[in-house]
Structures are given as structure tokens and as C-alpha cells.
Amino acid sequence: MIQYGRQQIAPEDIEAVRAVLASDFLTQGPAVPAFEQAVARYVGAPHAVAVNSATSALHVACIALDVGPGDVVWTSPNSFLASANCARYCGADVDFVDIDPVDLNMSVPALREKLARAKAGGRLPKVLIPVDFAGRSAQLAPMRELADAYGFAIVEDASHAIGATYHGAHVGGHGLADVTVFSFHPVKIITTAEGGLALTHRPELARRMELARSHGMTRDTAEMSGTPDGPWYYEQHSLGWNYRLTDLQAALGTSQLLRIEEFLARRHAVRARYDTAFAGLPLVLPPPDAEGRSALHLYPVQLAPQVTRDRRAVFEGLRARGIGVNVHYIPIHTQPYYQALGFRRGDFPAAEAYYARAITLPLHAGMSDADVEAVIAAVRAELA
Ligand SMILES: Cc1ncc(COP(=O)(O)O)c(C=O)c1O
């Protein structure tokens, strides 16, 4: 089966992890700050907080921004559950802004219109979580203008998008979001097995996220309210979790980051071949890059309206041919959990219409030319 995504592990990655295993620290050692600094330097952000998943990174971002009961957080329905669940962890309500049918990210006109209505109704969002779907940056520039005008914060869910750029700067480096989150799950651009990271240009948010990552405890005497009764002394000022990344994972991440441009170049080469090969087929292809480079985490296609076979039949046909297709995403508001909170099918029609015809084809840096041609041949055979 040619997987839709998978990790690329080289001998130097294995050596980096082995070196940590032979060292004094498996966790809470020097590899985590080294990884944070490496990612921060790569994207051009001043502060990075590594955690054990992007889900945790979204949670600590919401905590740092004081999301709580009575607040509402808006995100895209075309995303993984975690983009919305992070607000629920904090006791806040969730709402969604429908997507643009072409770029599949949160629609700026829909956001603008919903904000005007929310202002009139007296319930503006505290935080907006745009998602860089498939590795393509959401439209952060107009979103920042709206955030400043209406007074909400932006947590960019860039789980798909380390290495992407927007208006000439790296996602996470331009500072248009208050916090930017990456995921390092094995299907993503680089991996730490499980792992995530939150970037920010605001030092107070970085500190609050560090505290939330590790029990809310501090060993910094400048932050203490009491007098240390010995060098072992620590204090807890807020409620935190254990969301720490291990040194083993961080060393893997630092080693992977050295090859990120190679990984991205291969993803773009595969995309270029697919775009050419599929041009005459009844498929809606992912939109070409605009306003920056996509990290191309996914290659989601949609069956064109003239395809009469249903999506499931095409999906199963491709699987039977050894192509590890997937579907991204079931609109979050259609999940039973969110339906029980009052959302209904039909609430976000663009996300639902996209989902009904979507299939994600394999795209990852480890695909050989033969893998790519096998995918193309299978897609042609299914749609012929
Ligand atoms: C858009 C998005 N947000 C958040 C997550 C959660 O990432 P993690 O698995 O690192 O917790 C994912 C994971 O697939 C994702 O795709």
C-alpha cells in the first residue's frame, strides 16, 4: 500500500536518538531547548514552546490567552477535531466559519460577515483558530486586521504547514498570529513521532505556555511569591499539565529539521507531476500556490460533478489497487459530539460540499517516481 503520508527516517535520525539514549537526560535535558531554538530560527520567531502534540500546543495556547467558560472560539469546520476541542478543554464554546470552496481554508468574506453579526449580537469570539489546510497558509493578513478591529486573538493551527510561507515570510515567523502551532505526527512534514510546538512573538504568552506545559510550576526565584527554603524549592501559581516533549523526540525533530527543505522540494515535485498527469481528468485539483509556498502536507482532490460513481466506490477502488487514500476532513460540526452541542448538517455548506467529494491521494517525501506513477495509473484507471 502506498500510504497517503509517512515519515522519512535516515540513519542520522537514528543516531541522534541513540545519542540521547546514551546521555544523562531522556527528558528535561538540553535536546528540547535545542529543538525549540532550531525551529524558532528556521521560521524566524522569537519564542518556541515544544510540547507532546499539536493538540497540547493548541490547548496551552488557549490557556495562555485565558480562554474559559463564557468565551467562544471560532475555527474552520474543515479540520481535525483538535482545532475545535482545544476550546472545549477550557470550558469555552466553539463556533465555525465556513470555508472558501477554492482554497478550502476559512473564508475571509464569511468571517467578516459573521463578525458583523456577532458584534450586533454581543458575542464576539475571544480567539480565532484558522487552519492552514493541507499546508497552505490561511489568509492571515486580513484576519489580523479583523482581529485588531474586533479585539480577538489568533491561534494559527499550522499543524500541516511547517515550512510554508505567506507574503514572503515563514508561517510562524511573520507574527500575524498571536500563536502558531505545528504538529510533528509522522504523516506531517517532519516528525518527532508524537509532538507539537507553539510559536509566538509575545514573551508573556510563551511563558504562560511553558507553565501550562509543566504543571504550572516555576523554579525562577524572580517569579516566586514565597521565600525559597532551599535549592529544591519550586512554586505552583496556576494549573498546568504534563505536556512535555521528551529529549528523544526533540533530538529526532532537530535531526529531521536539517532535511526539511529536501522534504518540501520532493513534495512539490510530486505535486507538479500529479497536476500535469491529472489535468485532463474529472477532478478538482488542489489550488496552485498563491500568496506563498504551501508545505503540501496533503494532496486532496475532489471528484468533479460529472463523475457519477460515488466517492466511496472510487475510494475503495483506489484502496483495492494498493493506493492508501484517505479523506480530510469530515466537517467537525457533523460529529456526534458537536451535534449534541447544537450544530446541524447544513450549517457550513461549503465544508460539507467539499467533504462529500474529497479524496486525499498519497503525497510524501519518501515517494519514489515509481510510487507516483503507480498512483497516477490507478487514478486514471478508476476515473476512465
Ligand atoms: C489541523 C490539525 N490540527 C491539529 C492536529 C493535532 O495534531 P497532533 O496529532 O500532533 O496532536 C492535527 C493532526 O492531524 C491536524 O491535522
Side-chain angles (χ1 to χ4, degrees), residues 102-377:
V102 174
D103 85 357
L104 311 173
N105 279 330
M106 185 184 283
S107 155
V108 173
L111 173 63
R112 202 170 268 127
E113 192 187 310
K114 192 173 175 101
L115 283 167
R117 272 189 280 123
K119 186 170 184 185
R123 193 148 194 239
L124 285 164
K126 182 151 192 177
V127 173
L128 181 75
I129 306 185
V131 179
D132 300 336
F133 178 68
R136 176 192 179 95
S137 176
Q139 291 188 45
L140 266 288
M143 287 176 182
R144 179 78 257 165
E145 282 175 21
L146 291 166
D148 292 342
Y150 285 94
F152 58 85
I154 299 177
V155 174
E156 182 178 6
D157 184 347
S159 288
H160 299 182
I162 186 170
T165 64
Y166 178 71
H167 292 186
H170 268 278
V171 164
H174 48 56
L176 292 167
D178 295 277
V179 179
T180 300
V181 165
F182 293 147
S183 171
F184 306 120
H185 180 278
V187 297
K188 302 300 193 316
I189 313 298
I190 63 167
T191 191
T192 61
E194 297 283 356
L197 185 137
L199 295 156
T200 183
H201 288 240
R202 295 174 54 186
E204 77 286 5
L205 292 183
R207 185 63 189 138
R208 297 183 83 176
M209 293 193 289
E210 284 170 358
L211 289 167
R213 160 180 73 181
S214 204
H215 309 285
M217 64 185 266
T218 181
R219 292 181 186 277
D220 182 347
T221 48
E223 292 179 338
M224 288 178 182
S225 53
T227 309
D229 55 358
W232 58 85
Y233 188 77
Y234 53 84
E235 283 184 356
Q236 179 188 353
H237 293 162
S238 56
L239 187 61
W241 283 256
N242 178 354
Y243 281 167
R244 291 188 300 262
L245 192 72
T246 68
D247 280 48
L248 298 163
Q249 293 169 295
L252 175 57
T254 302
S255 177
Q256 290 259 302
L257 188 63
L258 296 173
R259 302 203 303 292
I260 191 169
E261 290 301 323
E262 196 184 300
F263 294 159
L264 290 165
R266 181 63 187 155
R267 284 176 181 272
H268 276 266
V270 175
R271 191 265 287 265
R273 175 73 190 112
Y274 278 169
D275 284 354
T276 308
F278 298 145
L281 296 182
L283 290 174
V284 179
L285 303 182
D289 284 5
E291 302 187 60
R293 168 177 78 168
S294 171
L296 288 179
H297 164 49
L298 302 172
Y299 191 88
V301 299
Q302 295 163 75
L303 301 180
Q306 66 266 37
V307 177
T308 49
R309 283 178 75 206
D310 81 353
R311 185 262 308 265
R312 180 173 178 161
V314 176
F315 182 100
E316 288 176 345
L318 288 166
R319 280 270 176 103
R321 292 174 192 274
I323 310 303
V325 285
N326 209 321
V327 170
H328 299 89
Y329 284 101
I330 301 170
I332 299 174
H333 69 282
T334 66
Q335 292 293 344
Y337 174 81
Y338 285 95
Q339 296 269 297
L341 292 174
F343 293 100
R344 293 288 169 260
R345 282 177 197 280
D347 283 349
F348 303 98
E352 292 173 39
Y354 157 73
Y355 165 67
R357 306 190 74 79
I359 298 179
T360 300
L361 299 179
L363 175 65
H364 62 79
M367 290 180 77
S368 66
D369 289 347
D371 292 337
V372 176
E373 296 310 317
V375 173
I376 291 168

